[in-house]
Amino acid sequence: MDRGGDRVSRENETGEVEGTPSTGGDLVQSRRENLDALRSAGVDPYGDSYDVTHHAGEVHGRVDEMEGEEVSIAGRVTAVRSHGKVTFMDLEDLGGQVQLFLRKNDLGDDKYDLLEHVDLGDVLGARGTPFRTRMGEPSIRVEDFRVLSKCLNPLPEKYHGLTDVDLRYRRRYVDLMVNRESRDVFVTRSRIVSAMRRFLDDRGYLEVETPMMATIAGGATARPFVTHHNALDMKLYLRIATELYLKRLIVGGMERVYEIGRVFRNEGISTRHNPEYTLLELYEAYGDYHSMMDLTEDMISSLAEEVLGTMQVEYRGETIDLRPPWRRLSMVEALMEHGVDIRAWSDDGDARRDAARLGVAVEEGVTRGKIIDELVEELVLPGLIQPTFLLDHPVDISPLAKRKLDDPEFTYRFEPVIAGMEIGNAFSELNDPEEQRRRFEEQMAQRHRGDDEAHVMDEDFLTALEYGMPPTGGLGIGVDRLVMIFTDSDSIRDVILFPLMRPRIQEMDSEEGIDSSTIES
RNA sequence: AGGCCGCUAGCUCAGUUGGCAGAGCACCUGACUCUUAAUCAGGGUGUCCAGGGUUCGAGCCCCUGGCGGCCUACCA
């Protein structure tokens, strides 16, 4: 039959040509028509503020005690089941969802007919009284509703949701809209960070902010992003750590400081690495790495208890028990368990032979400590599922950590490991300015041998140490990775709202913004 | 950076040996005053990632490129 004809009956002042029915390929078109229809019915489809008294989840959960009360809620329409003169809708807000029960008798003909122009995904405000339907479903008998915002784009399928990972990251707003699990992850993330602040605030730590852009990118061994300041005509680096500034504050007498902030590392992207990530760093005057271990296990287990209600979390099918005390395992012991006796190495050749024997690739010219680090990472790390402090790192890969008094080739340093993932880094801070200078010089030497991740010299930091920094314990925690464990996420991108993605061609900035200095290598 | 895999309707996915482009949901038309992955009747809405090539004929085969995922490498 000719479909073009009866199609036009429906509200078509757009001058639709016969043969090109409005139902054409464009799903957006029918939504635009509904938008226009609302406008011509005198309804502003992008309405004014709405007086919200309750959340959907609250009504859903307490429907029996709320019966007869008047409530008004607002959220997105996620399902419509129309039965002629009665319509059911699911309305979803951040906290949950509840069913709307809309009847022609209750709303009147004109209002009820507006439902014709409500699409899946529209933001709706509804006022009415909670009750249970005959099927027992907690619902709101709606007396009045308003379209608060029109959704012009079609939503992903209700059953499978949005699973295309690329789209989930690029259009996070859609992901958040339709995938409750995704929303839950970010709510949890927010709770973790705020609980973290409370934990530290309660213990007398001061939250501070230090420069994100500086002329030296120190505090870690990593390649920085480079940018340029026009007025001063100088090169600036985006920070790779907050360490050296926070320690200057300890010198200044601030005693206990922390910063939760983004750091930027110009390195690879993977399921465990995003170029910008959130780092908690804290420093405590008069502490050391033992007090930092106590603090770490105390903090992380408390966060789990507070945010998740348990200290035993499920991660990738394993139950991880965060209750203190955590296992403490030195690097030397750890390798010994894998049949590597680093005490028996008489020179670097022995180290290389052991690495080769175990099939661990080691670059030419790297230091002995680096070889130990690689062996641990390769052999030990993947097996450390339960929380473990991996401790006493070699001195040459720990330029800011204090040397062990009884074993000067190693340092008072540890990395907390959970589920085979390094989630932090901590040490008794090196506070001897002369020793620090020698360490920096050694790093510079490595740099000249081609290691462009080696630490750079920071004269002002040395000057600060010369004023005297108290013995200090310092700790860094990779917040994203911690969130991964708390939310059972296998990719860091699942816990970062907008992870870095290569731009789609049409999103490329043609004028300025992207130039060689920000996308090098 | 290297290797492997993927890209088909708004979404989730099929697509045989190279022979008219498919399903479910969504959407459109109609029915329905207690449904809930509502149901019933009817309708397929497409730059098969892009550009070349082979072929009578390409979603499928070949080449180049784009984007993504996983693994390896670097790192936390």
Side-chain angles (χ1 to χ4, degrees):
Chain A
M1 67 173 275
D2 176 20
R3 288 184 289 118
D6 50 286
R7 196 69 31 147
V8 191
S9 63
R10 186 192 166 82
E11 159 81 40
N12 237 339
E13 71 275 84
T14 45
E16 206 83 78
V17 186
E18 271 202 337
T20 57
S22 60
T23 52
D26 199 355
L27 294 172
V28 176
Q29 184 58 31
S30 78
R31 286 167 179 263
R32 287 197 183 280
E33 283 169 16
N34 283 332
L35 177 87
D36 293 339
L38 287 173
R39 283 205 168 116
S40 21
V43 176
D44 178 3
Y46 297 104
D48 208 347
S49 66
Y50 195 76
D51 186 23
V52 176
T53 62
H54 292 75
H55 278 103
E58 192 182 358
V59 177
H60 191 276
R62 299 177 48 226
V63 60
D64 296 319
E65 29 186 315
M66 294 176 73
E67 194 144 359
E69 219 174 297
E70 185 172 279
V71 300
S72 79
I73 67 169
R76 221 172 258 280
V77 176
T78 57
V80 179
R81 294 175 292 280
S82 167
H83 291 254
K85 296 186 183 63
V86 64
T87 297
F88 298 90
M89 283 184 179
D90 292 340
L91 199 73
E92 193 166 329
D93 61 19
L94 178 63
Q97 72 156 50
V98 72
Q99 177 171 267
L100 300 183
F101 178 80
L102 305 114
R103 226 162 38 147
K104 197 158 194 167
N105 287 358
D106 297 335
L107 290 166
D109 290 2
D110 290 350
K111 196 80 189 183
Y112 190 84
D113 289 344
L114 286 182
L115 289 175
E116 192 71 18
H117 309 297
V118 172
D119 291 296
L120 233 48
D122 287 1
V123 179
L124 217 66
R127 182 175 56 76
T129 54
F131 78 111
R132 279 186 193 274
T133 61
R134 279 178 210 160
M135 299 301 290
E137 179 70 23
S139 309
I140 295 174
R141 188 186 305 276
V142 176
E143 284 145 27
D144 194 19
F145 72 86
R146 247 171 67 200
V147 176
L148 302 177
S149 187
K150 195 83 194 120
C151 177
L152 291 175
N153 292 320
L155 255 42
E157 192 213 6
K158 59 183 168 189
Y159 197 54
H160 296 93
L162 185 68
T163 62
D164 183 313
V165 285
D166 182 35
L167 270 181
R168 283 188 48 220
Y169 301 145
R170 285 183 201 279
R171 299 200 182 165
R172 182 65 88 183
Y173 39 90
V174 179
D175 178 42
L176 291 169
M177 216 178 283
V178 300
N179 295 330
R180 174 163 292 280
E181 322 80 69
S182 178
R183 223 175 315 165
D184 290 344
V185 164
F186 292 104
V187 170
T188 299
R189 178 176 180 133
S190 176
R191 293 200 174 126
I192 290 169
V193 174
S194 91
M196 195 175 257
R197 288 203 162 90
R198 261 195 311 283
F199 181 94
L200 294 170
D201 293 345
D202 288 348
R203 280 160 184 74
Y205 284 82
L206 298 173
E207 181 169 12
V208 296
E209 291 168 284
T210 62
M212 291 220 182
M213 293 186 291
T215 50
I216 290 173
T221 51
R223 267 184 293 269
F225 286 90
V226 190
T227 185
H228 181 260
H229 189 274
N230 288 341
L232 297 179
D233 188 22
M234 69 178 185
K235 208 177 186 184
L236 284 176
Y237 298 94
L238 292 165
R239 69 183 179 186
I240 56 175
T242 48
E243 175 150 359
L244 300 185
Y245 280 107
L246 293 176
K247 285 200 269 199
R248 283 170 168 93
L249 299 178
I250 297 295
V251 171
M254 292 189 79
E255 294 188 358
R256 292 183 176 198
V257 292
Y258 76 96
E259 179 162 7
I260 297 173
R262 221 74 62 78
V263 296
F264 309 87
R265 298 191 180 181
N266 205 340
E267 283 164 0
I269 297 175
S270 78
T271 48
R272 293 174 177 197
H273 301 88
N274 194 62
E276 53 177 312
Y277 69 99
T278 301
L279 184 63
L280 160 69
E281 279 198 48
L282 64 88
Y283 293 84
E284 180 177 323
Y286 314 114
D288 66 2
Y289 87 147
H290 292 293
S291 63
M292 288 298 109
M293 279 187 250
D294 295 343
L295 182 81
T296 303
E297 60 189 17
D298 186 17
M299 177 169 69
I300 291 178
S301 57
S302 308
L303 293 181
E305 181 65 44
E306 184 173 343
V307 175
L308 305 173
T310 174
M311 293 190 184
Q312 279 128 307
V313 305
E314 282 292 314
Y315 186 72
R316 308 289 90 185
E318 302 260 8
T319 301
I320 292 171
D321 190 348
L322 297 170
R323 287 176 300 182
W326 295 358
R327 184 181 181 201
R328 302 182 182 202
L329 177 68
S330 79
M331 298 199 51
V332 173
E333 290 163 11
L335 285 176
M336 199 67 96
E337 286 180 2
H338 286 83
V340 180
D341 183 2
I342 62 182
R343 300 285 186 202
W345 292 350
S346 54
D347 55 25
D348 286 5
D350 289 341
R352 283 175 191 287
R353 269 187 289 281
D354 262 345
R357 177 169 62 85
L358 293 157
V360 176
V362 171
E363 282 174 57
E364 277 307 306
V366 300
T367 60
R368 177 179 164 141
K370 186 74 194 159
I371 295 171
I372 293 172
D373 197 36
E374 288 192 7
L375 285 171
V376 167
E377 191 163 319
E378 197 87 1
L379 304 173
V380 180
L381 218 54
L384 300 181
I385 304 302
Q386 295 303 321
T388 305
F389 292 118
L390 196 57
L391 44 118
D392 300 349
H393 294 58
V395 67
D396 50 273
I397 56 163
S398 313
L400 301 163
K402 190 171 274 190
R403 226 181 254 277
K404 293 192 79 175
L405 283 174
D406 56 349
D407 197 358
E409 203 193 328
F410 297 91
T411 58
Y412 295 117
R413 174 180 172 189
F414 72 86
E415 292 178 297
V417 177
I418 302 175
M421 241 185 330
E422 294 160 359
I423 60 150
N425 189 18
F427 26 90
S428 298
E429 304 298 331
L430 175 56
N431 62 343
D432 173 344
E434 287 171 12
E435 161 103 26
Q436 183 68 76
R437 179 176 293 279
R438 286 193 294 276
R439 301 277 196 92
F440 277 159
E441 279 163 354
E442 177 49 36
Q443 288 289 311
M444 292 308 283
Q446 284 183 31
R447 220 180 162 72
H448 288 126
R449 286 198 293 271
D451 180 1
D452 54 358
E453 288 181 6
H455 205 289
V456 294
M457 180 65 74
D458 187 336
E459 285 293 345
D460 182 71
F461 177 66
L462 291 171
T463 301
L465 290 188
E466 284 166 7
Y467 280 90
M469 181 174 81
T472 296
L475 169 68
I477 295 286
V479 173
D480 314 83
R481 287 187 177 181
L482 190 65
V483 175
M484 285 170 70
I485 287 161
F486 277 36
T487 58
D488 196 13
S489 303
D490 55 10
S491 171
I492 198 166
R493 288 176 190 168
D494 293 328
V495 303
I496 292 176
L497 281 165
F498 301 101
L500 184 71
M501 303 287 280
R502 206 183 290 263
R504 285 267 142 101
I505 292 127
Q506 65 266 29
E507 293 168 0
M508 282 279 210
D509 195 327
S510 53
E511 294 282 311
E512 51 188 29
I514 296 174
D515 66 51
S516 58
S517 68
T518 53
I519 50 171
E520 62 187 33
S521 85

